[in-house]
Structure formats: C-alpha cells, structure tokens
C-alpha cells in the first residue's frame, strides 16, 4: 500500500472519528482493531483491498472510537486481559470471562454499526458492499458448513453482518434475543444482552467465530 493511500485512510479515520486519534497500518494484522483506551486504530495491509472493504473497516473501527466506552478498569483478576474485563468477569467469572468478551464484541458490533451508519448515512453502501465482498471471499468461514449446527453466538454474528446473503435460522426464543440486540442503544444494553446470550447457552463455551 502506498504512503499516499495510507495517509488518505488516516485522514478519513480521523475525520469520521472527530479527533486526532492514531492510525497504524500493520501487515501482520488479520483484521482491523480499535484500542479504545489509547485511541489507536489498527488497519490491516491487505493486497487488493477494495474501497468498499477499506471504508467498511475504517467505519467499523471509528464507530468503536465514537461509541464504545473504555471500562477495562476494575477487573478482578490479572489473568484476564482484553476489553471490558470487569463486565465479562461479572457475567462469566474468571473461567469464562474471555469467552464472554467474544460475545460482548459481536453484540457491541451491532450497536455501534447501527449508530455510525445513522451518523454517516454514506457508509451504509460501503458496509453493504464490503460485507458482501468479504462474504464472497469466505472471510466468515461459511463455505461448506451447516449454519443450523452453528452456535447461537456464531449465528448472531453472521445474521447481522451477512444475513442478507445467508439465511440464518433462529428458534423463537433465540429470535426474541436477536430482536433486542438489533434495538440495543447503550453499552449497558450490550452488557445485559451479552449476559442473556451467555445464560441462554447454559453458561457454557460455544464456538464464537468473529
């Protein structure tokens, strides 16, 4: 990727985030990330990255910068690391906290993506086209799998990211939770709904494919 393209993406991210956050380009990164606490966005360096996927990644990460709070403080155990540790420990205890973090991530993704598309309607097309491209490239690992056998968290993630391209099944009870996730508005909602999902699957680990 040329320095010109990196500079353009960095300016776009800072403009959308409405702050002078730091943008890093990491050739080893498998996907984009946002360090909310330190105000850093990390973008992967992928060959053949389309404008739609690029804008999707930037839009998603600046959505975290805009709407996801830093609540890492107050964790109970130094053995647990990563985002939202105290809330994850409250839901799953030390044993399942890291797994709950994965559930919280996919639930939070739904909330922040809806908010950023409302703030910047022009991103709607990029999100749609970008997810379609990633789906076609099997980024979500859906080729050859039986979606009916996928875990509830996995199906939630697929439904909200590529559900228009993939019929994702839910039971009536699951659909009630999915509907509430779709309408979630605050980070407190994210925490509560993540707890609902974890409780629904019996407080046990299931595969979460992000």
């Amino acid at each position: 990727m040329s320095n010109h393209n990196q500079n353009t993406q960095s300016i776009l991210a800072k403009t959308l985030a409405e702050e002078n956050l730091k943008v890093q380009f990491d050739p080893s990164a498998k996907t984009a990330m946002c360090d909310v606490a330190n105000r850093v966005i990390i973008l992967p360096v992928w060959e053949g990255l389309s404008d739609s996927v690029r804008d999707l990644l930037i839009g998603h990460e600046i959505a975290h910068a805009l709407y996801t709070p830093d609540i890492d403080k107050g964790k109970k155990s130094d053995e647990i690391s990563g985002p939202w540790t105290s809330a994850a420990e409250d839901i799953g205890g030390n044993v399942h906290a890291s797994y709950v973090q994965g559930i919280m991530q996919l639930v939070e993704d739904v909330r922040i993506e809806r908010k950023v598309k409302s703030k910047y309607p022009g991103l709607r097309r990029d999100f749609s086209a970008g997810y379609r491209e990633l789906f076609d490239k099997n980024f979500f690992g859906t080729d050859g799998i039986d979606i009916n056998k996928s875990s509830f968290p996995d199906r939630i993630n697929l439904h909200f990211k590529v559900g228009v391209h993939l019929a994702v099944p839910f039971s009536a009870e699951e659909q009630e939770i999915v509907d509430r996730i779709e309408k979630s508005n605050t980070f407190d909602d994210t925490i509560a709904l993540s707890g609902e999902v974890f409780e629904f699957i019996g407080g046990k680990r299931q595969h979460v494919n992000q």
Side-chain angles (χ1 to χ4, degrees):
M1 181 188 297
S2 69
N3 288 333
H4 173 72
N5 286 338
Q6 288 188 354
N7 288 337
T8 299
Q9 292 183 38
S10 179
I11 292 170
L12 175 62
K14 292 178 181 181
T15 301
L16 295 178
E18 301 176 344
E19 66 175 282
N20 190 31
L21 47 68
K22 188 174 182 179
V23 181
Q24 297 178 345
F25 296 87
D26 185 354
S28 66
K30 295 182 179 180
T31 189
M33 295 171 283
C34 180
D35 182 342
V36 174
N38 295 305
R39 314 311 290 167
V40 178
I41 286 178
I42 300 172
L43 296 173
V45 180
W46 291 341
E47 291 296 326
L49 186 69
S50 72
D51 289 344
S52 293
V53 172
R54 178 204 66 192
D55 290 346
L56 160 63
L57 295 177
I58 292 174
H60 181 90
E61 299 313 322
I62 68 99
H64 278 302
L66 286 168
Y67 304 116
T68 298
D70 171 29
I71 62 165
D72 286 354
K73 300 179 180 64
K75 63 181 180 178
K76 302 180 181 70
S77 170
D78 290 335
E79 297 178 2
I80 309 300
S81 62
W84 321 318
T85 50
S86 58
E89 286 176 321
D90 287 341
I91 294 170
N94 291 348
V95 174
H96 298 299
S98 61
Y99 177 72
V100 172
Q101 285 171 333
I103 296 175
M104 292 177 69
Q105 180 68 57
L106 64 89
V107 174
E108 177 69 349
D109 281 354
V110 178
R111 185 181 77 91
I112 57 102
E113 286 194 356
R114 189 185 72 253
K115 282 183 170 291
V116 81
K117 286 186 287 187
S118 177
K119 183 177 180 67
Y120 299 115
L123 285 175
R124 293 180 183 275
R125 181 176 179 181
D126 293 308
F127 270 79
S128 178
Y131 275 134
R132 177 64 203 232
E133 182 177 333
L134 292 175
F135 175 73
D136 289 343
K137 291 181 177 180
N138 198 35
F139 181 82
F140 298 98
T142 54
D143 286 357
I145 70 169
D146 184 353
I147 301 299
N148 293 281
K149 296 180 180 179
S150 296
S151 71
F152 184 34
D154 250 356
R155 285 180 284 120
I156 292 172
N157 192 44
L158 290 171
H159 170 71
F160 284 107
K161 288 187 168 68
V162 294
V164 295
H165 313 300
L166 184 70
V168 181
F170 296 107
S171 69
E173 288 180 295
E174 290 173 338
Q175 189 64 55
E176 290 182 1
I177 298 175
V178 170
D179 290 344
R180 288 198 293 277
I181 291 174
E182 186 172 13
K183 298 174 183 177
S184 62
N185 187 52
T186 68
F187 190 72
D188 285 342
D189 293 338
T190 291
I191 295 173
L193 287 162
S194 298
E196 281 194 52
V197 172
F198 188 64
E199 181 179 0
F200 184 84
I201 61 177
K204 297 183 294 184
R205 293 171 180 257
Q206 292 185 346
H207 178 58
V208 178
N209 180 22
Q210 294 179 322

